[in-house]
Amino acid sequence: MTDDRPLVLMLRTGTRPAREFLLKTMAEKYRLHLFTSLVPSWELPYLTGWTKHLTRDPEDTLAAARELHARDPISGVITYDEARVTQVAFVADGLGLPNAGLDAAEACRHKNVTRRVLEAAGVPQPRSIPVTSLEEARVAAERIGYPVVVKPHDLLAGMGVLRIDSADQLEERYNDSTGNPVGGVPDYVYEPLIEECVTGTEVSVDCALHGGELTVLCLARKSTGFAPYFVETGHTVDGADPLLGDPALLDLLRAAHKAIGYRDGVTHTEVMMTADGPKIIEINGRMAGGHITHLAMFATGTDIGLVACDVACGRPPVVGTAPARVAAIRFFSVEEDTTIDSLRFDEDALHPAVDHTVVTAEPGTAAQRPHGTGSGRLALAVAVGDSTQECHDALASAQAALRINQD
């Protein structure tokens, strides 16, 4: 029998706990071919094929995609991986398939480009100055006024993002931001930004764009900790969140995406709801991380992974119609560096609204206090309920039920 499901090319997949539920539903509607640098394992039941090929060179990837396309026509190209956003646009454009647009993908990938484009369009955002040295950072911070934020122009997961409250802190935190090696990219060159530190309620909004028309898929309220870093410690998605209908936020999202010229794909936009109105923190040309896509399924019934495939193939997005609920996640880490002997949740001590827990640290793990990335996470818990308070109570029970034995 002929399988008439469209073929979607995927560049990398991510980890099993964070992504398997997405692949499972994607594979019901689409055939998935994976380009990967590693031999697939858990992904295999959801794939119709895979190619051990994934380089940083977009031309090489496009050539490999054309070989596949000649044998089995590709209908769309997607990724979860921040580092592959521009690669996806390049490959899809080369195959004549729907995509964000090369300039839009570049604007999403590089925060300094985002800032220039949004500034030219008058879209509200923090003040931002690119710098190339500590001395330039000092001048920029004085111009903006403390507190400021230092961040790399194109990394992910909060890597290298720190708050600087005074001139006395600038040298240490600037060096912290720019002094860490980037895994897999030995020749990485830091291009830091010094930015205004805006405060308020921080949210992320996942959107789908089809022919430039924007549809909101999910809004998550973010929790952070481990100052001076901005480490994500949790997210809450309320399917009936009043911000979903906030005119100023919706206008901001439309204006920002129009400014960068985003055509087809999904985005994950971070926004600070300040006293002066919402401001764009960054626009990412991919699906959310942090299990937000899973929370969206619970809270709204929207399958963001499936939507990503839809719009990549030129189809309009389909938003879930399930009754609105609340779903939340909390990530657990250690406050001080230690070695983990064993780690588990006491299941009998969990609140009924805890949907599931996951332990990600192996015995013998040298656990570190998080410093701007997800690498310090030891475990997580997800709660689903009828209110934010119910979910947060459930996650508090999970924190109390987490048993960490240190070596």
Side-chain angles (χ1 to χ4, degrees):
M1 294 181 63
T2 302
D3 189 340
D4 59 359
R5 291 175 299 161
L7 180 65
V8 169
L9 173 61
M10 178 182 295
L11 306 187
R12 301 187 68 176
T13 58
T15 63
R16 186 172 194 170
R19 302 303 186 187
E20 184 173 19
F21 67 95
L22 289 170
L23 262 66
K24 183 177 181 179
T25 54
M26 286 178 184
E28 293 173 1
K29 188 175 177 181
Y30 292 93
R31 293 181 297 126
L32 304 176
H33 188 102
L34 176 65
F35 276 13
T36 176
S37 57
L38 302 172
V39 176
S41 55
W42 63 266
E43 303 97 334
L44 287 173
Y46 312 111
L47 304 177
T48 56
W50 63 278
T51 301
K52 192 174 182 181
H53 174 95
L54 192 63
T55 72
R56 294 170 58 194
D57 187 336
E59 291 282 3
D60 287 349
T61 307
L62 176 56
R66 281 180 169 148
E67 290 182 12
L68 173 63
H69 192 56
R71 302 192 308 269
D72 192 354
I74 300 167
S75 296
V77 187
I78 66 169
T79 190
Y80 302 115
D81 187 356
E82 174 67 24
R84 308 297 171 182
V85 166
T86 54
Q87 211 169 13
V88 162
F90 186 85
V91 170
D93 197 67
L95 297 177
L97 299 174
N99 65 92
L102 298 177
D103 289 343
E106 177 76 10
C108 289
R109 183 72 186 97
H110 300 289
K111 298 177 181 68
N112 51 347
V113 179
T114 307
R115 293 290 182 235
R116 292 200 304 269
V117 172
L118 296 187
E119 183 179 17
V123 177
Q125 61 179 336
R127 293 179 62 197
S128 178
I129 301 174
V131 299
T132 60
S133 68
L134 176 60
E135 287 310 309
E136 288 186 7
R138 290 189 194 282
V139 174
E142 292 296 335
R143 282 180 57 189
I144 292 172
Y146 291 95
V148 295
V149 173
V150 58
K151 63 171 65 173
H153 77 291
D154 69 342
L155 294 182
L156 69 162
M159 185 185 298
V161 183
L162 292 90
R163 174 173 167 141
I164 304 172
D165 290 293
S166 67
D168 293 340
Q169 297 175 348
L170 189 139
E171 181 174 359
E172 178 185 359
R173 294 184 182 176
Y174 179 87
N175 290 337
D176 189 341
S177 174
T178 61
N180 295 304
V182 177
V185 192
D187 56 347
Y188 180 79
V189 177
Y190 278 88
E191 297 179 27
L193 303 176
I194 300 296
E195 297 197 339
E196 175 188 9
C197 183
V198 294
T199 59
T201 299
E202 190 171 6
V203 302
S204 64
V205 188
D206 281 49
C207 299
L209 288 100
H210 176 58
E213 182 177 348
L214 183 142
T215 300
V216 172
L217 305 174
C218 165
L219 183 145
R221 296 183 183 242
K222 182 190 298 188
S223 300
T224 60
F226 298 96
Y229 307 101
F230 295 85
V231 176
E232 294 181 355
T233 56
H235 304 279
T236 301
V237 176
D238 182 348
D241 195 306
L243 286 178
L244 289 167
D246 184 276
L249 176 58
L250 297 175
D251 287 347
L252 178 77
L253 293 167
R254 295 189 185 100
H257 286 79
K258 181 180 179 181
I260 66 173
Y262 205 100
R263 297 198 308 257
D264 294 280
V266 293
T267 62
H268 175 69
T269 303
E270 297 181 5
V271 179
M272 188 68 76
M273 306 297 293
T274 78
D276 299 324
K279 296 183 179 183
I280 295 287
I281 302 301
E282 61 186 51
I283 308 172
N284 301 288
R286 52 164 174 80
M287 288 175 273
H291 298 254
I292 291 173
T293 48
H294 208 174
L295 303 183
M297 279 188 177
F298 286 123
T300 70
T302 298
D303 187 330
I304 296 177
L306 200 54
V307 170
C309 291
D310 288 340
V311 293
C313 295
R315 298 176 171 183
V318 178
V319 178
T321 58
R325 301 199 76 195
V326 180
I329 188 168
R330 184 172 297 174
F331 304 107
F332 302 104
S333 306
V334 292
E335 289 288 343
E336 302 292 339
D337 295 358
T338 187
T339 299
I340 302 299
D341 180 50
S342 65
L343 186 69
R344 68 179 182 86
F345 286 94
D346 180 355
E347 299 293 332
D348 293 335
L350 295 176
H351 188 287
V354 173
D355 182 83
H356 65 276
T357 60
V358 178
V359 172
T360 55
E362 299 289 339
T365 295
Q368 294 182 321
R369 185 180 191 273
H371 50 278
T373 72
S375 61
R377 294 173 182 169
L378 305 177
L380 63 87
V382 172
V384 182
D386 295 320
S387 70
T388 297
Q389 188 61 55
E390 181 184 11
C391 287
H392 288 183
D393 288 346
L395 295 177
S397 82
Q399 183 167 16
L402 184 59
R403 308 287 183 252
I404 302 177
N405 292 323
Q406 300 177 15
D407 200 0

